[in-house]
Structures are given as C-alpha cells and as structure tokens.
Amino acid sequence: MASTKKLKPEYISRLFSELFDTLSSGMSINDGIYMLIEEGDKDPVLEILLKETSKGGTFSNAVKRTNAFPAYVEEMIAIGEHTGRLDSVLRELSVYYARQDEIAQNIKNAVTFPLILLAILVVIVILLLTQVMPVFNDVFKQIGITMSASALALMNLGNIMRDYAVYIVIGAVVIVGLILLLYKLPATHNKVLAIVQGKKLKKQMSASKFASAMSMTMSSGMDIDESLEMSKKLCDEDSIKKINSCQKMMRSGIGFDKAIQKSAILDSINSSKLSISFHTGKTDETMRKIADDYAEKVNTSVDEKISRVEPALVIIMSLLVGFVLFSVMVPLLSVITAM
C-alpha cells in the first residue's frame, strides 16, 4: 500500500545522501535501503521502496509507488536512471533539500522567536496588572495615599482580566487556533511568508532555488534548455516569468550567459561568474557555488531581520513595564518629597 504522507525535506536529504554513499561504494540501491531499515529507520516509505526494488523494479518506479516524494523528485530520479547518472542526481537532490530545509528552518525561527518574545511581554504585563498592582494599592491605602488615575485605570483593567480570566483564556485559545488554522491554508501561509520575507529576501530565495535547480539538472546530464524547463517546476511565478524571458532570448539567438544577465534571474555579480564559467564549460559547478552563495545570503538576511525585531520588542517591553511602575511610583514619590 502506497504512503500518503509527504516526506519532509530534511528526511529526503538524509535518505538520498545515504543512498548516494551506497551507490558510490559499489552496492545497489536495494542494499542501501535494506541497511537503512536494519539500522533502525522504521519509516514505512522504506518498506515500500525495499519491496518494489526487491522485485527487480526500478528505483524511480519504487519512488512513485510510495506517493511520498514531490513529483519533481520522481522526474529527476527517472532522468538519472535514463542517463546513467542516478548517483549524481541523488547527491544533488540531497544537497538541494538540505539547503531548502536550512532556509525554511531559519525563516521559521524568524517568525517563532519574535512570537515567543511577544508572548513573554503579554504575560509580564498581565502579571503586573493582576498581581502586582493590587498589592501596591493595598500598601498605599495603609499609608493613606491614593494611586494616580492612570494606575487605578490599569488596576481596574487587571481586576476585569482576573474576574473574567476563564473567558479570556478560552477566547485566546480560540483566536490562536483560528490563526494557526488560517496559517495552514496555502493562500494565508504565502501572504505571511511574503510579509516576513520582504522583497530583498524573496528575491534571494528565488535566485537560490533557480541556481540549485539548474545545478541539479545540469549535473544529471541535461542540456541547458532542458534544465531551464525543469527548473520552472521548483521556482515561483516571478522566477518562471524570468526563465521564460531567458528562453525566449535564447531562441532568438542570444547566448545563455547573456540571456541570464538580461532576464535578471541572478544579480550582476553572479551573472558575471556564470558568464565566465559558461565559456570554460563549468556551468554546473558554478551554479552549485552560486546556489550556496544565495543560501548564505538568505540566512544572513533572516538573521538581520531577527536582530532588528528582538531589540524592538525588548524596548516595547521595557516601556510598558516602565509605564506601569512609573504610574505606581508617582504618588509614593510625592509623599517622600513632602516629608
């Protein structure tokens, strides 16, 4: 029975890396899958792969039978078998999915970390309003002074939150649940990612995917035209438009290196690198280096975003806590000054 659960990029990368090592050592794909199972990998996908390859079927057909891999992976493996470069395809797929997983994890951290800080901020403010403010109010009553109007307003807000805590918690859980549900929808998910990424990061990610796809397809034995066509299956709409423009220019007689430059798929520096490599016959190697360069740029851009958000949230937290404490301390300072 075929699997219905799609594999995560991290697992695909690790699996293909292991199978590449198997082929490189002179063993068969079937041997590699068997060893993975013997080592304790209990993923049902491996059982399906082992069953199909043990019958003498091709690895590409076994991959299709699992229904657990992206369609692009299925096509690339079939091409690798057809060209006799399955080992190269497995290696490139492993590198590609490892790179994409790293980028995805960094973007996830860019969203998760600020949310954690925000949650901490909300908890601190709630504790101040519901637990600390009433204590100050009791102390002030004992010494015969009244808190400021702003402090009283904050304390009353805290009392309301405490009295209706159950309803507030239920409402918060429902709202968070709805947000998570909406986030899982492709349209909402893509909009959130677009906001987090920004134009610069989105452009870098698009270029990274394009360079990775080109490196992978060209290493598998495809020519430039075939590689460009296959790359569309991994790229976003904006990159696909640029690839179409590049193909159109190439059909009109413009060289690949010049067409890449004019279509602005890559930045000027990497386009120049590609132009040099195109004439030396090392385009696939340069594409791999360009992909690594863009992956590093993406990770740097994500780190920069986190580094900007973190101090901003700390400042907001400090200002809110400071305002609450200041509103409480003003009456006390006036008493001390009057002594």
Side-chain angles (χ1 to χ4, degrees):
M1 183 178 177
S3 171
T4 57
K5 182 182 177 182
K6 294 294 182 181
L7 296 175
K8 294 182 179 180
E10 185 273 335
Y11 185 84
I12 294 176
S13 175
R14 182 168 59 84
L15 173 61
F16 287 165
S17 177
E18 295 280 355
L19 294 180
F20 166 71
D21 290 339
T22 298
L23 289 178
S24 299
S25 64
M27 292 186 288
S28 67
I29 283 282
N30 184 263
D31 292 332
I33 298 168
Y34 178 78
M35 286 191 296
L36 286 173
I37 295 173
E38 285 294 301
E39 289 172 2
D41 192 335
K42 301 302 181 183
D43 196 299
V45 168
L46 290 181
E47 297 289 347
I48 299 171
L49 291 175
L50 181 63
K51 181 180 177 181
E52 294 299 319
T53 53
S54 296
K55 293 177 182 177
T58 62
F59 182 57
S60 57
N61 285 335
V63 167
K64 288 180 181 179
R65 285 280 296 168
T66 66
N67 196 33
F69 293 88
Y72 186 84
V73 170
E74 296 176 1
E75 292 183 47
M76 285 300 301
I77 289 175
I79 291 168
E81 287 179 334
H82 180 71
T83 59
R85 297 189 181 185
L86 180 58
D87 55 342
S88 297
V89 169
L90 290 174
R91 180 190 62 202
E92 293 300 325
L93 284 170
S94 175
V95 171
Y96 173 80
Y97 280 101
R99 190 183 289 129
Q100 296 309 309
D101 181 64
E102 182 183 4
I103 291 172
Q105 288 299 322
N106 282 337
I107 292 177
K108 183 179 178 180
N109 292 338
V111 175
T112 304
F113 188 67
L115 288 177
I116 292 173
L117 280 179
L118 184 61
I120 293 171
L121 168 62
V122 171
V123 170
I124 290 174
V125 171
I126 289 174
L127 288 175
L128 283 173
L129 297 183
T130 59
Q131 303 298 321
V132 178
M133 296 294 283
V135 173
F136 273 104
N137 187 48
D138 292 339
V139 172
F140 283 1
K141 283 182 179 179
Q142 291 175 10
I143 61 177
I145 60 175
T146 305
M147 288 199 301
S148 64
S150 59
L152 286 170
L154 289 172
M155 188 185 71
N156 290 332
L157 176 60
N159 291 334
I160 293 171
M161 293 173 67
R162 188 168 52 194
D163 294 339
Y164 295 94
V166 175
Y167 302 104
I168 292 173
V169 169
I170 293 173
V173 169
V174 171
I175 291 171
V176 170
L178 287 173
I179 291 173
L180 292 175
L181 185 63
L182 288 171
Y183 181 72
K184 288 184 178 181
L185 297 175
T188 309
H189 181 78
N190 292 336
K191 285 181 181 179
V192 172
L193 282 182
I195 293 171
V196 174
Q197 291 171 5
K199 290 183 178 179
K200 178 184 175 183
L201 183 55
K202 183 180 179 182
K203 189 173 182 180
Q204 289 173 342
M205 288 183 65
S206 297
S208 176
K209 279 192 173 184
F210 170 74
S212 295
M214 288 295 292
S215 168
M216 182 166 39
T217 50
M218 294 179 75
S219 296
S220 70
M222 293 185 188
D223 60 29
I224 290 175
D225 290 326
E226 291 172 324
S227 295
L228 285 170
E229 197 62 36
M230 282 291 289
S231 297
K232 293 180 187 178
K233 297 179 181 180
L234 290 177
C235 295
D236 56 29
E237 290 184 11
D238 185 52
S239 292
I240 291 173
K241 289 178 182 177
K242 292 178 180 179
I243 294 171
N244 287 335
S245 173
C246 177
Q247 290 176 310
K248 186 177 180 180
M249 284 187 274
M250 288 173 64
R251 285 193 291 269
S252 67
I254 298 175
F256 171 64
D257 55 331
K258 297 296 181 184
I260 286 286
Q261 225 168 17
K262 290 184 178 182
S263 58
I265 300 175
L266 306 175
D267 59 37
S268 56
I269 295 175
N270 284 311
S271 292
S272 298
K273 290 179 183 177
L274 188 63
S275 180
I276 295 170
S277 68
F278 180 68
H279 296 288
T280 59
K282 296 183 178 180
T283 307
D284 56 337
E285 294 179 19
T286 302
M287 276 293 187
R288 189 181 299 114
K289 292 177 182 177
I290 290 173
D292 291 337
D293 177 57
Y294 273 115
E296 187 175 339
K297 285 180 179 179
V298 168
N299 292 333
T300 301
S301 297
V302 171
D303 290 338
E304 287 175 354
K305 283 181 178 290
I306 294 175
S307 66
R308 287 197 296 266
V309 171
E310 181 183 354
L313 286 174
V314 170
I315 291 171
I316 293 172
M317 184 187 300
S318 302
L319 289 174
L320 285 173
V321 173
F323 174 74
V324 173
L325 295 179
F326 181 76
S327 65
V328 171
M329 295 305 294
V330 167
L332 188 58
L333 290 172
S334 63
V335 172
I336 295 173
T337 306
M339 289 182 178

